[in-house]
Amino acid sequence: MRYKKEAGNGSCPERRASLIHKLHSSYSGAIMQNKTGFKVSTLSAAVASALISGPVSSQGAGLEEVVVTATRRAESIQDIPINITAISSQLIERQRLTDLSDIARIVPGLTLIDQGPRSGNILTIRGLSASSITATDGDNNGGGLVGTYVGEIPLYIDLRLNDLERVEILRGPQGTLYGAGTLGGAVRYIPNRPQADTLSYEFRGDVYALDESNDAGYEAGGTVNVPLIDGTLAVRASLDYLNDPGFIDYPYLVQEAGVSYPDPLPDFPESLDREANVRSKDDVNDEDTWSGRLALRYAGDWLDGTLSYYYQDQKVGGRQINQRLGFGTGKYESANRFKEPNKRKNELLALELVADLGFAELTSATGYSEYSEKGQRDQTDLLLELELSYEFFPQFSAFTREDGNEDTFTQELRLVSTSEGPWNWIAGAFYSKFKLDTLSQEYAPNYEEFLTGEPGPNALEYEEKLKQEVEETAIFGEVGYNITAKWQVTVGARWFKFDDDAKSRVTLPIAERVFGEQPFDGANSTDDDDTVFKFNTSYDFTDDIMSYLTISEGYRLGEVNAVTPCPDPLPVDRQLVCALPDEQKVKSDTSINYEIGLHSQFSDAVLLNASVYYIEWDDIRLETSTENGFFPISTNGDGAESKGIEIEATWFITPDWYLQGSYAYTDAELSDFAPGIVDGEDAFAGDRLPGTPKNQGFLATNYTIPLNNGSDIDLYYSVVGQSNVYTKVGNRNFGESLGSFFLHYAAATWNRDAWRISLYVQNLFNEYAITGVRRDTSTFRQVGLFDLSRRYFQNVVRPRQIGLNIVYNFEE
């Protein structure tokens, strides 16, 4: 779309054999195994199992093991010699986590440029992003820097966090097992699977008041699990609906595009009536989202298969922004001339089969997904910035409507050894086919009549059609060997090949009629293949202390820029939207991670995990624009690096009171001179990369008060914080530093039997903070009759929310 961007490892054999035995019939589940007599109350235990990389508490049993499948084996998280965080359903409920932006605030090293639900989010791990912070529209890949999975299926989606068993976050490049898009790491949504021995259902509801909003919001949903054949076949269904009232007002909407004067401000000519030209609408960034899943599972003696359908339909009314700095709006006001609604729909059909072959488990993961998007954007200021005569039409205003459709098919076959002995191995093959079809149409009402004196047949000023197809094939494997009962070594590799073909057609209808312009047709293609590697070794000093060393690589596929190649020679008498030869293709970028980590537990009450790392990033991807037509494209730079520390800890002060926290220090910077990468300005080695705070932390405490009637009250408090963020590399060329902020959360929960009732407050002190920007303050200039200060805006954090959450969960 034209302007969318403008915006396996082994642990010691005894542990692994025990876990495999216990997990034979629960491949992706979390097992809780009692290790001590340390008594912890049910509520404290449940929360403690939420966000730690190791033994946790559950059901009053003390510190126990959490099992994850991040290494493609079911293993205790403390025995996995990699850097991983597992967020359980308990913390999702207790902290009221709803999406990726909430997860990113509590996981060390994970960062998301929160632009609100209207815009696509940019997800990074360990600072591996060199592009300037800017509003993103239409990009359905989270930036392509972090791989995301729904179960076993690679798919980017900002999934609503309902009916999930856990979310696993793997930090550091994961190219061998997880493939493309894992430069920084991977995020895995692990859903609750149907259980054939349990009839259960859950009803959940939430109602809340939101500061700056005129209405209340609410969310309601439920889950049902029904055994069809006892012990063998079951179905599980989940459905949720969110109605968020919004809190951003739009006081400068034009009454009629191309007729109304779009800038009737106090210093505008007195002859113009402000009310006759602009109107106001409150709470424009409202949201309505339906999300759900239907799953059928067969669990036999040797075959475990799950067929799942996922659905998420999201409608958002506008951006979560203000133009306070450039246009003088309020903290929660937008100066856009048009509402900017957006609708996204995600659907995924997945079949996951696991067959026990005796010597190995064979996994087949088949996924087919469809994504569609329809949106509208205010395009006025971008066109004015081009200075192609739009700026001399006093009533000029323009908007863009965009439609996009994606289809993705993926297939992975994987063999994972299960036999005992010093050797373990994984071997697999992967295939994916991605298709993209987009239409972008730009409208400038009455502009043609301004140019010619005669009205045109329609207001369509620009149209772009794009078709793109990307195929990837990969073969991968890992081999591990236990040198001793305490010391293991694993090596792995992945070979991949991809082909990317794109065809586009750009037309300028008004320019064709008035100036005789011709359409631009073009086709681009690129392909590449490469191999990435991994080395890992770990040593168990005791049963509770393990250290590891990892050297791992990640990659992101190259691509063609979806823009018409420029003709040769270039015509000098016509408007061009085209790419020069060096603007047409982007190489794959790669990262290599060197990391030392520690997993440890002390005194049956303290858990501490930590790591230090250094990452080299080559052929870094940067965002820029074509020389002709200002079309957004990507290009390659030289190199960057990131180094840092990540720590997670839990401490049970008493059986009913615990502290839990995490901290990350991230220092990401250019390692080479980069000419012209900051909107034409040079950047230098040592310049800090944008989008990631150097310091990021999470701290929570929970205290449980037992009551005489068998119920209890759980008091929970947490704070998340981050230091400042740069908007451009080195903050060069009008870059800026977004200030640090802290967000507080408090909740009191009453629990008895199947009931859980919570009173909570998010953003307790109503902190106002800036999370992202579009463009920069260089746009504060006059062009013709117009002031371009609205070209710049800031994303804001969500204000205080006070709510009541009720859950009823029945199981027999």
Side-chain angles (χ1 to χ4, degrees):
M1 301 181 191
R2 185 181 181 187
Y3 300 114
K4 67 180 182 179
K5 292 181 182 177
E6 107 120 35
N9 303 312
S11 56
C12 71
E14 294 85 354
R15 294 185 185 182
R16 189 182 311 111
S18 173
L19 286 168
I20 289 174
H21 173 74
K22 294 172 183 175
L23 293 168
H24 179 73
S25 61
S26 183
Y27 169 70
S28 68
I31 293 286
M32 304 299 177
Q33 176 189 359
N34 187 9
K35 292 182 68 176
T36 76
F38 184 63
K39 180 175 174 59
V40 183
S41 69
T42 300
L43 265 292
S44 295
V47 182
S49 65
L51 174 67
I52 52 177
S53 302
V56 297
S57 299
S58 179
Q59 303 302 315
L63 289 173
E64 300 173 344
E65 290 179 318
V66 167
V67 172
V68 295
T69 55
T71 60
R72 305 307 193 184
R73 288 184 172 88
E75 295 183 277
S76 167
I77 198 171
Q78 283 298 93
D79 291 341
I80 298 176
I82 62 175
N83 197 330
I84 177 175
T85 292
I87 300 177
S88 77
S89 59
Q90 288 93 340
L91 184 62
I92 291 172
E93 296 166 356
R94 196 58 47 92
Q95 184 82 13
R96 243 199 129 262
L97 306 179
T98 60
D99 53 22
L100 278 172
S101 63
D102 291 335
I103 290 176
R105 289 192 176 112
I106 68 172
V107 174
L110 179 65
T111 305
L112 184 142
I113 306 302
D114 185 6
Q115 302 179 101
R118 164 62 176 82
S119 301
N121 291 313
I122 304 168
L123 187 66
T124 64
I125 293 180
R126 295 180 170 176
L128 298 189
S129 177
S131 298
S132 301
I133 294 177
T134 187
T136 306
D137 294 297
D139 290 340
N140 187 44
N141 63 0
L145 297 156
V146 178
T148 54
Y149 279 70
V150 178
E152 293 284 345
I153 309 301
L155 175 72
Y156 177 77
I157 178 175
D158 193 353
L159 191 68
R160 298 290 301 178
L161 305 181
N162 296 313
D163 195 31
L164 293 181
E165 180 180 299
R166 65 184 183 276
V167 181
E168 298 177 3
I169 298 93
L170 292 79
R171 289 182 290 269
Q174 306 289 330
T176 53
L177 289 184
Y178 289 94
T182 58
L183 277 170
V187 174
R188 304 179 69 219
Y189 300 103
I190 309 298
N192 286 311
R193 297 197 303 164
Q195 301 298 320
D197 56 357
T198 303
L199 171 64
S200 65
Y201 52 85
E202 177 180 281
F203 300 105
R204 45 190 176 266
D206 195 284
V207 61
Y208 56 87
L210 186 64
D211 278 31
E212 310 298 330
S213 181
N214 295 327
D215 298 306
Y218 65 91
E219 185 170 9
T223 299
V224 60
N225 184 97
V226 180
L228 301 179
I229 300 176
D230 187 34
T232 303
L233 189 67
V235 64
R236 188 180 187 96
S238 179
L239 183 65
D240 288 85
Y241 173 68
L242 168 68
N243 182 286
D244 186 83
F247 56 92
I248 298 293
D249 301 335
Y250 279 49
Y252 299 103
L253 298 171
V254 295
Q255 293 280 12
E256 185 177 355
V259 175
S260 303
Y261 288 85
D263 289 316
L265 299 174
D267 58 349
F268 212 72
E270 294 182 2
S271 60
L272 295 179
D273 180 6
R274 183 185 188 283
E275 299 301 323
N277 290 281
V278 299
R279 61 187 176 89
S280 179
K281 184 172 177 57
D282 293 344
D283 302 336
V284 173
N285 67 322
D286 57 346
E287 178 184 357
D288 289 280
T289 298
W290 286 95
S291 58
R293 180 171 65 99
L294 179 64
L296 178 68
R297 179 188 179 194
Y298 170 81
D301 293 335
W302 63 275
L303 179 66
D304 192 334
T306 304
L307 177 65
S308 303
Y309 170 72
Y310 299 82
Y311 176 85
Q312 184 162 297
D313 191 349
Q314 179 188 56
K315 299 177 183 177
V316 182
R319 296 184 191 272
Q320 193 168 306
I321 63 170
N322 68 36
Q323 274 100 340
R324 188 183 184 195
L325 184 60
F327 204 71
T329 68
K331 293 180 179 178
Y332 302 100
E333 287 184 340
S334 166
N336 283 358
R337 301 168 180 86
F338 298 93
K339 292 193 294 183
E340 297 188 312
N342 185 267
K343 178 181 178 180
R344 293 189 180 95
K345 183 167 70 173
N346 283 274
E347 295 178 273
L348 168 65
L349 183 65
L351 177 62
E352 301 175 12
L353 300 172
V354 181
D356 185 354
L357 305 182
F359 69 97
E361 280 185 341
L362 173 64
T363 298
S364 171
T366 308
Y368 175 74
S369 64
E370 293 184 351
Y371 169 81
S372 63
E373 180 175 3
K374 295 180 181 293
Q376 175 176 292
R377 292 185 289 108
D378 185 347
Q379 197 77 325
T380 308
D381 292 291
L382 185 142
L383 294 181
L384 291 171
E385 192 175 46
L386 298 178
E387 298 189 52
L388 294 173
S389 80
Y390 306 108
E391 64 272 20
F392 299 114
F393 177 27
Q395 294 99 325
F396 178 77
S397 59
F399 58 91
T400 291
R401 289 176 179 162
E402 293 174 324
D403 295 280
N405 294 280
E406 298 178 5
D407 298 328
T408 306
F409 172 79
T410 63
Q411 174 65 58
E412 179 167 312
L413 291 174
R414 183 174 67 244
L415 272 174
V416 180
S417 65
T418 57
S419 55
E420 297 186 19
W423 292 95
N424 62 86
W425 50 267
I426 298 174
F430 175 80
Y431 171 80
S432 71
K433 187 172 186 177
F434 167 82
K435 293 182 178 180
L436 173 68
D437 191 345
T438 68
L439 172 65
S440 179
Q441 295 179 311
E442 195 171 270
Y443 294 88
N446 294 333
Y447 175 61
E448 186 170 353
E449 184 174 0
F450 167 74
L451 291 175
T452 65
E454 298 292 334
N458 55 54
L460 184 62
E461 183 268 346
Y462 172 97
E463 181 177 83
E464 179 202 351
K465 297 179 180 179
L466 167 67
K467 292 184 180 294
Q468 186 173 14
E469 185 173 299
V470 181
E471 284 190 87
E472 183 190 7
T473 303
I475 300 172
F476 62 92
E478 290 189 353
V479 177
Y481 180 70
N482 291 285
I483 300 173
T484 70
K486 294 179 177 293
W487 181 20
Q488 71 83 34
V489 174
T490 298
V491 294
R494 187 184 190 100
W495 171 85
F496 67 93
K497 181 182 185 302
F498 76 93
D499 296 275
D500 187 351
D501 295 284
K503 296 180 180 179
S504 63
R505 180 178 177 85
V506 173
T507 58
L508 303 165
I510 294 178
E512 289 178 14
R513 291 191 292 269
V514 177
F515 304 112
E517 296 283 0
Q518 297 298 313
F520 300 92
D521 290 289
N524 283 315
S525 64
T526 188
D527 61 84
D528 196 9
D529 67 277
D530 202 352
T531 304
V532 295
F533 300 95
K534 174 182 175 180
F535 171 82
N536 173 270
T537 186
S538 64
Y539 187 82
D540 295 314
F541 294 98
T542 70
D543 286 345
D544 296 320
I545 300 177
M546 179 263 288
S547 183
Y548 65 87
L549 166 69
T550 295
I551 303 173
S552 60
E553 292 185 289
Y555 67 97
R556 174 171 48 177
L557 295 181
E559 64 180 16
V560 292
N561 286 311
V563 57
T564 304
C566 290
D568 187 17
L570 278 169
V572 295
D573 58 347
R574 56 185 293 203
Q575 180 182 346
L576 291 174
V577 181
C578 63
L580 297 171
D582 62 351
E583 298 174 333
Q584 294 174 15
K585 299 180 181 181
V586 187
K587 295 190 296 183
S588 299
D589 48 340
T590 59
S591 59
I592 182 167
N593 175 58
Y594 305 89
E595 180 173 345
I596 298 175
L598 174 74
H599 289 181
S600 62
Q601 177 188 339
F602 304 95
S603 305
D604 296 330
V606 177
L607 180 138
L608 176 65
N609 292 340
S611 67
V612 295
Y613 65 87
Y614 171 75
I615 298 177
E616 295 177 347
W617 183 16
D618 295 321
D619 295 319
I620 64 176
R621 187 170 302 180
L622 306 166
E623 305 302 327
T624 184
S625 301
T626 59
E627 183 177 326
N628 296 281
F630 201 58
F631 190 100
I633 59 172
S634 299
T635 188
N636 291 107
D638 289 328
E641 63 186 27
S642 177
K643 51 186 176 291
I645 302 170
E646 292 159 350
I647 302 172
E648 293 178 298
T650 298
W651 175 29
F652 273 89
I653 302 170
T654 72
D656 292 324
W657 181 24
Y658 77 88
L659 291 176
Q660 184 176 48
S662 64
Y663 170 76
Y665 172 78
T666 306
D667 185 11
E669 59 187 32
L670 286 182
S671 55
D672 297 288
F673 172 64
I677 73 164
V678 190
D679 299 331
E681 184 172 313
D682 296 344
F684 299 86
D687 278 356
R688 179 178 166 185
L689 298 185
T692 298
K694 281 197 171 184
N695 298 280
Q696 176 189 12
F698 165 69
L699 181 64
T701 185
N702 186 86
Y703 187 76
T704 299
I705 305 173
L707 302 179
N708 292 332
N709 61 2
S711 65
D712 52 45
I713 294 177
D714 190 43
L715 302 178
Y716 182 79
Y717 192 94
S718 69
V719 58
V720 296
Q722 65 176 56
S723 59
N724 71 331
V725 169
Y726 280 15
T727 63
K728 295 185 178 183
V729 174
N731 265 356
R732 299 182 181 277
N733 199 6
F734 294 92
E736 60 184 296
S737 177
L738 306 183
S740 60
F741 62 87
F742 292 88
L743 300 177
H744 297 255
Y745 175 86
T749 303
W750 176 76
N751 298 270
R752 184 173 184 180
D753 300 326
W755 290 94
R756 185 176 70 251
I757 302 176
S758 299
L759 179 65
Y760 68 88
V761 186
Q762 291 180 316
N763 193 358
L764 177 63
F765 300 111
N766 204 24
E767 176 86 355
Y768 170 77
I770 305 301
T771 57
V773 300
R774 181 183 70 179
R775 301 292 292 173
D776 57 56
T777 58
S778 67
T779 60
F780 296 0
R781 59 190 177 92
Q782 191 77 19
V783 174
L785 303 174
F786 294 85
D787 179 357
L788 291 189
S789 59
R790 281 191 272 200
R791 185 88 165 94
Y792 170 91
F793 63 58
Q794 297 177 324
N795 301 105
V796 297
V797 77
R798 190 176 172 88
R800 177 169 47 215
Q801 178 176 321
I802 302 175
L804 180 67
N805 181 266
I806 301 175
V807 177
Y808 178 79
N809 193 320
F810 173 83
E811 181 176 316
E812 69 174 28

